[in-house]
Amino acid sequence: MPVTVVVGTQWGDEGKAKIIDLLAHSHHIVARYQGGHNAGHTVVLGDQRYALQLVPSGVFYDHVTPIIGNGVVVDLPTLFTEIDGLESRGVSCARLKVSSLAHLIFPWHQSHDALSESALGNNKIGTTLKGIGPAYADKARRVGIRAGDVRDPKRFCNLVRERALTEQRVLDSLGGEKLDVDVIVQRFVELGERVLPYVADTVNILHDALDKGEQVLLEGAQATFLDIDHGTYPFVTSSNPTAGGACSGSGVGPRDITRIVGIAKAYTTRVGSGPFPTELIGELGNRIVDIGHEFGTVTGRRRRPGWLDLVMLRHAARLNSLTEIALTKLDILDMFETVRVCVGYEVDGKKLSGYPDNPELLGAVIPKYADLTGWKTSVREVRTFADLPVQARALVELVEQNVGVPVTMIGVGPERNECVVRS
Ligand code: GDP
Ligand code: IMO
Ligand code: MG
């Protein structure tokens, strides 16, 4: 099985990093394929908790080469804060490679993000304000600066200065933040020198590894319903987290991919604005947020809670060609009397045949629920499917029946070993 893709099936924060860390054990390369430091990927190892934004979740194994792929937008200050933080805790980042084709984020991208959010007022997307959308927009406009540009320091310095001067004029005209061009240029020249040893032809590194029979894992950030094409537009991110994006964002061809693991939380959360059919407002929702610690890894924002939605999961299975599902955070539902699962949508008393292509309609659907009896006991010590309470197994079986994809892993706690792996 040469290439595995791990993709979020909801609106992010499904526990992708925990599962990637688990799977990385049997892989040689773990490569991020899209997104940037809008991601917050948590790995818990014993009493240590690591929150990763750009560094791939395979970094904790000495045998893994972590790669930041061409589809990622890279904020160099964050990358080095992260590398320094990891290395000060004894986690080596020496093997890390950054694709020469990956686009860089600059301070003006963050200024544009903030300006566009404030212009939207009540209709704001609720972005992470990291400059992700503006950086991808520059990539599409063909005015971006890429990691490979640092290989010629003089040219890189000129490129940054030219873009900064242009952006200074644009931001002035929009009433945005003042850019201190000289300070930015100086800072990025230094960051460019520092990133140079990490910059590599990651596309050929990946293919050479595959030619040698090595195992590659492609790490998705964000999730299916934040995908710029397939998500709840405009309340989405600016990249393609869906499995197709794993090819364009890494340079690996589709025929090399044999395993596509969709990560789904046993309930749902969403950060930022946008439709959410199974959203729980009130006490029950607060209980999920409290027990599940549903606050953003990066921004600290409260995540909106809701029940598991199998209409969405079925659609995610189609969009991503899922070969399996990892159902995470089952333990968070341990003490609920009833666990609800959305199995269909209705609009004006009529059943919808599937996930609608209109986000406004998604905002108007009435979810139809299957109510399952809670198991009212802790599952954190459970390591085999047979040892799960019968009610918890019923939830897993309902997912498999509705989605038509096997659930091969079940998360029962945040730590690496707190997982039921079905053979
Ligand atoms: P990601 O962005 O998809 O990697 O997910 P995040 O790291 O943003 O959020 C998932 C949170 O749930 C993190 O705090 C994880 O440590 C935690 N987590 C992951 N899987 C489980 C699980 O099965 N049970 C519990 N209790 N926590 C989990
Ligand atoms: P991980 O990888 C959850 C959301 C933001 C906002 C929208 C657009 O940890 O699952 P952006 O800054 O990307 O332009 O914001 O996308 N968002 C995430 N939500 N998890 C993430 O990443 C997210 N990355 C972006 O909250 O609604
Ligand atoms: Mg996250």
Side-chain angles (χ1 to χ4, degrees):
M1 284 221 277
V3 181
T4 302
V5 176
V6 174
V7 57
T9 62
Q10 295 160 325
W11 280 294
D13 306 323
E14 296 91 349
K16 295 178 287 295
K18 182 215 150 137
I19 299 293
I20 292 163
D21 166 69
L22 192 71
L23 295 175
H25 175 68
S26 54
H27 289 77
H28 299 88
I29 293 182
V30 175
R32 269 279 299 272
Y33 60 84
Q34 46 66 238
H37 63 315
N38 49 349
H41 291 178
T42 318
V43 175
V44 178
L45 302 174
D47 60 359
Q48 296 292 308
R49 180 180 175 277
Y50 300 90
L52 305 169
Q53 291 178 260
L54 281 163
V55 173
S57 306
V59 69
F60 302 101
Y61 296 93
D62 289 337
H63 70 274
V64 168
T65 301
I67 288 181
I68 295 180
N70 59 276
V72 175
V73 283
V74 182
D75 185 77
L76 292 175
T78 305
L79 179 64
F80 289 117
T81 305
E82 200 173 322
I83 290 175
D84 291 344
L86 285 165
E87 298 209 317
S88 73
R89 294 168 76 184
V91 181
S92 169
C93 295
R95 291 158 284 114
L96 178 71
K97 312 230 173 297
V98 178
S99 169
S100 53
L101 309 182
H103 281 247
L104 300 180
I105 296 187
F106 290 91
W108 49 85
H109 293 129
Q110 277 127 22
S111 308
H112 279 294
D113 206 347
L115 269 179
S116 109
E117 281 290 85
S118 78
L120 285 167
N122 286 340
N123 297 322
K124 72 174 184 187
I125 291 159
T127 75
T128 57
L129 299 175
K130 305 286 184 196
I132 304 296
Y136 277 117
D138 275 2
K139 175 178 175 175
R141 291 198 305 133
R142 293 154 294 177
V143 296
I145 301 175
R146 306 197 289 185
D149 290 324
V150 306
R151 286 170 173 158
D152 181 344
K154 209 163 154 220
R155 187 171 157 270
F156 179 65
C157 176
N158 289 337
L159 280 173
V160 177
R161 184 174 296 281
E162 268 171 42
R163 290 280 335 135
L165 287 168
T166 307
E167 291 299 338
Q168 190 183 42
R169 286 193 293 276
V170 177
L171 287 166
D172 270 354
S173 72
L174 296 170
E177 239 177 277
K178 283 258 166 283
L179 291 182
D180 192 334
V181 173
D182 288 332
V183 170
I184 291 174
V185 172
Q186 183 55 34
R187 184 156 178 238
F188 274 85
V189 164
E190 285 163 20
L191 288 164
E193 278 169 20
R194 195 170 169 199
V195 80
L196 185 60
Y198 297 93
V199 175
D201 175 0
T202 57
V203 175
N204 278 312
I205 290 174
L206 282 163
H207 282 281
D208 290 346
L210 289 173
D211 287 348
K212 279 192 280 177
E214 292 188 355
Q215 312 286 309
V216 169
L217 189 153
L218 301 179
E219 169 171 6
Q222 290 81 53
T224 301
F225 293 95
L226 288 172
D227 185 282
I228 190 159
D229 286 281
H230 300 290
T232 48
Y233 194 90
F235 303 104
V236 293
T237 193
S238 299
S239 65
N240 288 115
T242 44
C247 293
S248 51
S250 67
V252 168
R255 275 196 300 144
D256 285 323
I257 296 172
T258 47
R259 184 179 186 194
I260 306 173
V261 186
I263 315 296
K265 235 184 264 205
Y267 49 96
T268 309
T269 59
R270 164 160 218 176
V271 200
S273 324
F276 184 171
T278 63
E279 183 166 18
L280 281 167
I281 293 162
E283 209 180 304
L284 209 48
N286 289 340
R287 199 167 149 207
I288 290 185
V289 171
D290 286 348
I291 303 173
H293 306 291
E294 294 297 350
F295 294 91
T297 315
V298 177
T299 57
R301 287 184 292 175
R302 180 184 186 275
R303 298 175 181 148
R304 297 156 62 192
W307 293 118
L308 179 62
D309 185 336
L310 296 185
V311 181
M312 288 180 63
L313 196 49
R314 267 200 300 273
H315 196 58
R318 285 186 157 180
L319 290 170
N320 296 297
S321 303
L322 296 184
T323 59
E324 57 194 282
I325 289 171
L327 193 68
T328 59
K329 299 191 93 163
L330 187 73
D331 54 302
I332 303 305
L333 301 177
D334 276 351
M335 292 306 157
F336 283 70
E337 296 285 341
T338 303
V339 174
R340 305 193 89 182
V341 180
C342 169
V343 290
Y345 293 157
E346 266 184 26
V347 175
D348 297 332
K350 284 201 203 92
K351 193 172 176 282
L352 284 192
S353 58
Y355 181 83
D357 66 351
N358 172 357
E360 277 170 35
L361 188 58
L362 186 70
V365 299
I366 309 288
K368 293 288 141 191
Y369 289 104
D371 285 343
L372 307 182
T373 310
W375 42 96
K376 305 288 298 268
T377 179
S378 172
V379 294
R380 281 193 72 162
E381 306 295 323
V382 176
R383 295 292 175 268
T384 65
F385 188 67
D387 287 340
L388 279 175
V390 63
Q391 301 90 334
R393 276 185 275 145
L395 170 61
V396 174
E397 281 155 6
L398 183 71
V399 171
E400 291 184 323
Q401 279 155 19
N402 265 266
V403 183
V405 175
V407 174
T408 55
M409 287 168 274
I410 300 155
V412 293
E415 281 197 49
R416 187 184 273 172
N417 71 333
E418 288 181 309
C419 196
V420 169
V421 181
R422 293 166 86 188
S423 44

